Amino acid sequence: MVEPLLAHPLDHRPLGTSGIEVSAVSLGSWLTFEHIGADEGLAAMRAARDVGIDFLDDARYDDRTGRAPIPTGYSEVVFGQLFRAAGWRREDVVVANKLWLEFWPQESPAAELDASLGRMGFDYLDLAYCAPPPDGCEIGELVVQLGALIASGKVRAWGVLNWRPDVLSAAVRLARAEGVSLPCAAQLPYSVATRSPVENPAAVAALDDAGARIVASSVLAGGILSGKYTHDQSPGRLAGRLSSPPVARAMHVADALASRAAALGVAPATLAIAFALANVRVASVLFGATTPAQIAENVAAVELSARLDSSEIDALKNLVTDQGA
């Protein structure tokens, strides 16, 4: 067991109008646990539990290791196994997963959900994020089907994953007309280097109309803002993308962020996460971690965010002056 990291219980915030409260930081499993050993994965899961993280994010995706016993969704199998081994009680944890809609309309959201629940070994999800509607998918029909999942008891609430503001606004209008619960959360990329998906006026208006809150992803810009690439230029997941504008911008910001973090006596990752948490529309910051040490560094951002004043937030925003940020 890791030592307690916070002087007080981990901050919890409401997930929109769903009635669900989530820990201010959440642990994801994107390309994580099936790539490391079971002991390492279990240590990370237990460390998250011990510091009070009770919001976990899973996702189905195709095997990239060449070793998985099934071609897709092995990540969900491993997640479920580690969840139970870590000693969490299902009713004490908010678990989210994705509906990718990649086989619409041949596979309905209900069928996709049932398959994911089967692999995870769970009876229900607390939150189902819906991917952007594919071509040919009528938003009204999709909203009705999402409402049916909630009515079935297999999902407590729904959210959106990387939806454009205009599509979200349309879904909210149709949900109201159909008497379906509104989306309570939007998972969107948000970092010191990339703010527009959350801060642009259209996104703000759509989120506020829905009463939805943000679960911030990519807060460390693929690890760049943690300083991961400062001394080790191995590209890792960013192979072939180092010259792209978002990556180049994050690389530029990383050095300045590290300097400000050093002045505050914290790690760059801690400051990067604290910046996102300081946004009043953010319910939780989602991160991946493979070690208890990474979890400790990231969780420290919760207390730091409460100490950041407006001048420090403005200074962090000014690290990127490009309006496209």
Side-chain angles (χ1 to χ4, degrees), residues 186-227:
Q187 190 175 126
L188 295 167
Y190 185 49
S191 73
V192 175
T194 303
R195 305 194 315 272
S196 62
V198 166
E199 294 185 6
N200 78 76
V204 169
L207 290 164
D208 286 356
D209 181 39
R213 287 295 175 259
I214 297 152
V215 176
S217 64
S218 301
V219 170
L220 300 181
I224 293 173
L225 297 182
S226 71

Side-chain angles (χ1 to χ4, degrees), residues 234-302:
S234 174
R237 294 185 192 175
L238 299 177
R241 298 175 51 208
L242 293 178
S243 61
S244 69
V247 174
R249 182 169 60 237
M251 295 285 281
H252 174 74
V253 169
D255 288 341
L257 178 70
S259 295
R260 300 202 73 85
L264 292 170
V266 299
T270 304
L271 182 56
I273 293 172
F275 168 81
L277 285 171
N279 187 314
V280 296
R281 291 181 174 83
V282 171
S284 189
V285 165
L286 175 65
F287 64 80
T290 58
T291 67
Q294 288 177 321
I295 289 170
E297 187 173 274
N298 294 351
V299 169
V302 178

Side-chain angles (χ1 to χ4, degrees), residues 56 81 108 123 126 179 190 200 309:
L56 304 180
Q81 292 172 341
S108 68
D123 295 325
D126 297 281
Y190 185 49
N200 78 76
D309 59 27

